[in-house]
């Protein structure tokens, strides 16, 4: 009896000490609620462990009582044997309970996600949910667009695939899309890296250093932008030849309405070109400038763009730049030393040739608009077509200028 009293006193003291420790550690009611809401398997394991401990204590108490009271141990051994049997039964029940049913990975993932949501570990935000839904819709449209374009190419129902083998049209199409992505993202990188000291990345990104050294020399940045813009339009024109479907094309036994909306109208080509060839590259390049242009493919693109500008076909843009500089009273911002007489003559000769090409192209385009020989919808007046044409030109120019300004 004395030993039992001491044991009970120790239990009470230990319980009080644990309560003080929990109080010092600041166990909140919310945490206690989370502990109480453990999965059923955990609860059963804890209950089994508690029952096992109680049986062990009961077994020890039986021996202690028998030894203190001087009673024979035979009867007590029988009680202990009964306790062991009861303990084995509890362990068997625990093993049966702990057997987990077979679940698929999807079911396990859903249950884990739901459990974390119920515990507040994952908070579902309505705005983020809407964003995820929009991303999934966009991804679905992109996959569908690429699928029907590839089907049109391999069934020889595009302008290029009907004249050459579909494999070559397929390879040429994706080469142009990747090249377009390099041009779109690379321009933002070269513009955005202008203020950064090149010695910072000369060893970590050596090819990027070569690209920026070439593009940032004298007025090469302006030249690259001019040549690259023509190259972008040329590449998009060739991509359209590779992937745009011919008239009355049918692929994958799709309904006529889907074929008309996505394939015949060019929506599939627009989604593929814009998402894969432009926007994805621009978004990634905005945050990975050094890595994005750390390739010789970008160096090749720089040289091609500078060569196009050197040809003089686009030099009329410098005439517009000089006129606006005179009107606003500002300089053109050139970092190159003054041109010599021979260089000045060569420059203005290219400006005149470029201006003549521009006037001729504009005259042909306007004549086609007034004659109704364009892809403008039937029923739209010619004057309206001309107004829309110039409005779209102004809008495209504004968007390109804003993009450069944002990167700079």
């Amino acid at each position: 009896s004395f030993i039992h009293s001491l044991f009970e006193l120790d239990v009470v003291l230990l319980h009080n000490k644990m309560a003080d420790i929990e109080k010092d550690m600041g166990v909140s009611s919310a945490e206690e609620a989370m502990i109480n809401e453990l999965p059923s398997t955990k609860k059963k394991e804890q209950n089994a462990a508690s029952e096992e401990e109680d049986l062990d204590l009961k077994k020890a108490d039986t021996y202690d009582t028998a030894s203190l009271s001087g009673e024979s141990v035979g009867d007590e051994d029988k009680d202990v044997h009964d306790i062991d049997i009861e303990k084995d039964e509890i362990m068997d029940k625990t093993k049966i309970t702990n057997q987990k049913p077979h679940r698929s990975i999807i079911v396990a993932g859903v249950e884990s996600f739901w459990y974390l949501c119920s515990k507040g570990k994952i908070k579902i935000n309505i705005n983020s949910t809407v964003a995820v839904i929009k991303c999934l819709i966009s991804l679905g449209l992109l996959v569908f667009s690429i699928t029907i374009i590839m089907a049109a190419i391999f069934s020889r129902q595009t302008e290029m695939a009907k004249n050459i083998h579909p494999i070559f049209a397929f390879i040429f199409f994706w080469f142009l899309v990747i090249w377009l992505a390099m041009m779109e993202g690379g321009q933002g990188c070269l513009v955005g890296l202008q203020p950064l000291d090149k010695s910072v990345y000369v060893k970590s990104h050596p090819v990027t250093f070569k690209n920026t050294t070439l593009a940032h020399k004298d007025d090469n940045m302006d030249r690259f932008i001019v040549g690259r813009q023509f190259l972008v339009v040329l590449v998009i024109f060739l991509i359209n030849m590779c992937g745009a479907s011919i008239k009355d094309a049918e692929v994958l036994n799709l309904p006529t309405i889907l074929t008309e909306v996505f394939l015949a109208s060019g929506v599939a080509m627009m989604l593929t070109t814009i998402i894969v060839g432009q926007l994805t590259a621009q978004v990634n390049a905005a945050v990975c400038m050094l890595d994005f242009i750390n390739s010789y493919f970008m160096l090749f693109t720089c040289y091609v763009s500078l060569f196009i500008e050197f040809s003089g076909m686009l030099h009329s843009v410098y005439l517009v730049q000089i006129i606006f500089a005179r009107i606003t009273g500002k300089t053109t911002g050139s970092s190159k030393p003054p041109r010599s007489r021979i260089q000045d003559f060569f420059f203005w000769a290219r400006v005149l040739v470029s201006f003549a090409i521009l006037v001729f192209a504009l005259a042909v385009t306007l004549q086609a608009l007034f004659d109704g020989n364009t892809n403008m919808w039937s029923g739209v007046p010619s004057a309206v077509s001309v107004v829309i044409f110039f409005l779209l030109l102004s809008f495209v120019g504004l968007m390109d200028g804003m993009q450069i300004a944002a990167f700079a």
Side-chain angles (χ1 to χ4, degrees):
S1 301
F2 177 72
I3 293 177
H4 274 287
S5 301
L6 290 178
F7 178 76
E8 291 176 338
L9 179 61
D10 289 338
V11 171
V12 172
L13 293 176
L14 180 61
H15 183 272
N16 294 334
K17 187 175 181 180
M18 291 298 297
D20 294 335
I21 292 175
E22 291 179 355
K23 184 177 181 180
D24 294 337
M25 293 177 64
V27 179
S28 62
S29 59
E31 292 174 340
E32 291 178 358
M34 290 180 62
I35 294 173
N36 293 331
E37 293 177 3
L38 288 173
S40 58
T41 303
K42 295 293 184 179
K43 284 186 176 181
K44 292 177 181 178
E45 290 178 357
Q46 291 178 354
N47 294 335
S50 300
E51 292 179 5
E52 184 181 352
E53 292 177 359
D54 293 339
L55 289 174
D56 290 337
L57 291 176
K58 185 177 180 182
K59 183 177 179 180
D61 292 344
T62 303
Y63 277 116
D64 293 340
T65 304
S67 60
L68 289 174
S69 59
E71 298 175 356
S72 61
V73 190
D75 296 336
E76 303 300 331
D77 287 337
K78 184 177 180 181
D79 295 337
V80 171
H81 180 67
D82 295 338
I83 292 173
D84 290 335
I85 294 175
E86 186 178 354
K87 180 179 177 180
D88 293 337
E89 292 177 355
I90 293 174
M91 292 299 295
D92 293 337
K93 291 179 180 179
T94 305
K95 290 179 181 179
I96 295 174
T97 305
N98 289 338
Q99 290 180 356
K100 297 181 179 179
H102 294 286
R103 299 180 300 169
S104 65
I105 296 177
I106 297 177
V107 173
V110 172
E111 290 181 356
S112 300
F113 177 77
W114 185 256
Y115 176 74
L116 291 174
C117 290
S118 64
K119 300 303 176 185
K121 300 296 182 181
I122 297 179
K123 296 182 179 179
I124 301 177
N125 191 349
I126 299 299
N127 295 330
S128 62
T129 305
V130 173
V132 170
I133 293 174
K134 290 191 291 185
C135 289
L136 292 177
I137 293 174
S138 176
L139 182 61
L141 290 174
L142 176 62
V143 172
F144 178 73
S145 300
I146 294 176
T147 302
I148 61 176
I149 291 172
M150 296 301 103
I153 290 176
F154 283 103
S155 59
R156 295 180 178 271
Q157 298 187 77
T158 66
E159 291 294 334
M160 185 171 291
K162 71 178 183 180
N163 297 320
I164 64 174
H165 197 279
I167 293 295
F168 295 109
F170 170 81
I171 295 173
F172 192 50
F173 174 85
W174 285 111
F175 169 75
L176 292 174
V177 170
I178 294 172
W179 196 10
L180 177 63
M182 179 59 68
M183 286 185 286
E184 292 290 355
Q187 176 183 252
C189 296
L190 293 177
V191 174
L193 290 174
Q194 287 185 100
L196 185 62
D197 186 8
K198 295 179 177 57
S199 61
V200 176
Y201 54 88
V202 62
K203 293 183 178 179
S204 61
H205 298 78
V207 185
T208 300
F209 176 76
K210 293 180 181 180
N211 283 315
T212 54
T213 302
L214 174 65
H216 297 165
K217 182 181 179 181
D218 297 334
D219 293 336
N220 281 358
M221 193 69 249
D222 291 340
R223 295 169 180 166
F224 168 80
I225 292 174
V226 172
R228 186 212 70 98
Q229 191 62 46
F230 178 83
L231 189 59
V232 166
V233 176
L234 176 62
V235 168
I236 292 178
F237 174 76
L238 294 175
I239 290 175
N240 193 62
M241 287 185 61
C242 293
S245 64
I246 60 177
K247 188 177 180 181
D248 299 328
E250 295 182 359
V251 295
L252 304 177
N253 295 323
L254 293 175
T256 306
I257 183 66
L258 287 178
T259 305
E260 290 293 330
V261 171
F262 285 92
L263 204 58
S265 65
V267 172
M269 280 297 301
M270 286 190 293
L271 289 175
T272 303
T273 304
I274 293 172
I275 295 177
V276 180
Q278 293 181 306
L279 296 182
T280 304
Q282 291 173 357
V283 171
N284 288 326
V287 294
C288 304
M289 294 184 180
L290 291 174
D291 295 320
F292 193 90
I293 60 174
N294 193 37
S295 66
Y296 286 99
F297 192 26
M298 184 61 201
L299 189 62
F300 167 75
T301 304
C302 288
Y303 278 114
V304 174
S305 300
L306 293 175
F307 175 77
I308 293 174
E309 190 275 341
F310 178 77
S311 66
M313 188 167 46
L314 306 171
H315 265 53
S316 57
V317 299
Y318 297 123
L319 178 62
V320 179
Q321 183 187 39
I322 292 172
I323 292 175
F324 271 93
R326 295 289 178 86
I327 293 175
T328 59
K330 297 181 180 180
T331 60
T332 57
S334 175
S335 59
K336 189 177 180 180
R339 294 185 293 266
S340 62
R341 290 185 178 181
I342 297 177
Q343 291 175 337
D344 204 33
F345 172 78
F346 186 54
F347 172 79
W348 285 106
R350 288 181 291 175
V351 169
L352 291 177
V353 172
S354 176
F355 185 73
I357 294 174
L358 175 62
V359 171
F360 175 75
L362 189 61
V364 172
T365 303
L366 291 177
Q367 184 66 37
L369 287 171
F370 282 115
D371 293 343
N373 296 325
T374 65
N375 290 328
M376 177 58 73
W377 301 295
S378 59
V380 178
S382 300
V384 176
S385 300
V386 173
V387 172
I388 294 175
F389 172 73
F390 281 105
L391 285 177
L392 291 176
L393 283 181
S394 302
F395 184 73
V396 170
L398 179 63
M399 292 296 101
D400 279 334
M402 289 177 61
Q403 183 184 27
I404 297 298
F407 275 110

